[in-house]
Amino acid sequence: MADSADHDSLTLFASASGFGRAAVSVIRISGPACLDVLKAISPPLPIPRRLSLRTIRDPNSRDIIDRGLVGWFPGPNSFTGEDMAELHLHGGLAVRTAMLRTLARIPGCQAAGPGDFTRRAALNGRLDLTQAEGIADLIDAETEAQRRQALRQLDGALGRQVGAWRETAIDLLARTEAALDFSDESDVDDEGLDAVLARDAGALSKQIQAVLGDGRRGERLREGFFVVLAGPPNAGKSTLLNALAGREAAIVSSLPGTTRDAIEVRCDLGGLPVVLVDTAGLRETEDPVELEGIRRTRRHMEDADLVLHLSPADGPGREAAQRPHSLAVRTKVDLVASSRLDDGLGVCALSGSGLDALLEAIQAAAEASLGGGEALVTRERHRSALTRACGHLDCVAGGMVLAPELMAEDLRLAVRALGEVAGHVGVEEMLDRLFAGFCIGK
Ligand SMILES: Nc1nc2c(ncn2[C@@H]2O[C@H](COP(=O)(O)OP(=O)(O)OP(=O)(O)O)[C@@H](O)[C@H]2O)c(=O)[nH]1
């Protein structure tokens, strides 16, 4: 990982297209030695930003490694802001290995770690931190809604909004500082300044809070809408999960208590990411392993966005929905005559009957929770920094700090908290954490 000045002067290289077998394999190179590397392995240098067919050789032995396309992207107008190159080679394992081994032997070159290229782009001011997160989210996006949200963030929607709030907070701070520094000079009018500052700080805080009051839609969309399948042992939870997910993900068995821990299956419901969670059956038991499973089930139910309370149609009556975000579902409806069924949701996971209605109900709940406009805040990190900023602005707005020096300090802390979102301040540790989650070559 590029975390020291020494490391930053190295030229990094990595496979940017994964490590499997493919038609084309892309190797990225970025750093000060990039130009020399290209001249050594694939002369002559291509026209910038235009892929050119070249023979690529080991610079020492002059052995041919492959014939492929070479792209040359001189800094600072490259993804990382440094000199960069891309080698589009044949996607075989041996070709890629030979190329990476050759690059590793060139002085000044080093294999990149996860996220190193994006990290350099952020450090060179090509992206702010929210956009770097947008790239990570775009790579991880599994559904259409996640892809759209990540693209919006990569486009800088959050960075621009938070940047505008930060400018306003800086302006408030400048006015306070001016009043402090020149309070004895006649041309600085601090008459009623406290009231004006309090009003403006309050207005800014309200704007931020309006965005924060989005029901955590952005975070939920990244993480998925959690649907927990709960109910007594043998209610048919695992069978239903498999039927809903369309694959055999959970162990299905006729032994009550087969599922001891939660099993999660991610699926795409109408473009929304839904995580179905199969849990241990709820019943009275002395078995310590099963008890632990039941404890975890209860915790999953508390954290769930939606709980499906399953009860077999041939058993006791339908369980009443215990909280607003829950649905009572009758399972194994094939075991009773249709005349004995009530009007609520009922499924036969074996034949698939009733599954469409259940999926529609889950999708409607997910849409109600995740839909309703475009969320700006997509991570707890953003929420926590913005909440802190609001706290400081509210101190100024509420007249809780009377001395102008203290007011200035609160405004400074608000500016700092807002700056953290885009990566202007105090983010070294955060950078390590963020880029560690990237893939190599990005
Ligand atoms: N007739 C019928 N049997 C079903 C249906 N769904 C599940 N079963 C059967 O019911 C039994 C229990 O199913 P599971 O899916 O393992 O039940 P579970 O609720 O996950 O059980 P635990 O893991 O013990 O909590 C199995 O024999 C299934 O084949 C259904 O719709 N109709």
Side-chain angles (χ1 to χ4, degrees), residues 229-242 250-260 278-283 290 310 314 330-335 347-353:
L229 279 63
N234 243 349
K237 298 181 290 297
S238 305
T239 313
L240 180 60
L241 176 98
N242 289 338
I251 313 161
V252 179
S253 134
S254 56
L255 274 179
T258 305
T259 306
R260 301 248 170 146
D278 181 16
T279 58
L282 297 169
R283 67 168 172 182
E290 201 179 344
L310 310 190
D314 59 343
R330 284 300 223 174
T331 54
K332 309 187 187 183
V333 294
D334 54 308
L335 295 182
V347 292
C348 169
L350 297 183
S351 70
S353 122

Side-chain angles (χ1 to χ4, degrees), residues 233-319:
N234 243 349
K237 298 181 290 297
S238 305
T239 313
L240 180 60
L241 176 98
N242 289 338
L244 288 173
R247 57 194 166 105
E248 299 283 311
I251 313 161
V252 179
S253 134
S254 56
L255 274 179
T258 305
T259 306
R260 301 248 170 146
D261 201 356
I263 294 172
E264 292 181 4
V265 175
R266 304 186 70 84
C267 50
D268 180 336
L269 274 192
L272 297 172
V274 170
V275 184
L276 301 169
V277 188
D278 181 16
T279 58
L282 297 169
R283 67 168 172 182
E284 297 294 324
T285 176
E286 303 273 295
D287 177 352
V289 181
E290 201 179 344
L291 273 175
E292 175 57 20
I294 290 172
R295 195 186 64 76
R296 290 184 191 188
T297 298
R298 297 208 186 281
R299 207 185 54 219
H300 279 292
M301 287 169 74
E302 273 162 29
D303 295 344
D305 295 308
L306 177 69
V307 178
L308 301 184
H309 290 282
L310 310 190
S311 53
D314 59 343
R318 181 185 288 273
E319 248 191 77

Side-chain angles (χ1 to χ4, degrees), residues 33 37 40-41 59 101-110:
V37 171
I41 64 170
R101 203 186 310 125
T102 301
L103 290 170
R105 281 199 293 257
I106 299 178
C109 288
Q110 182 165 306

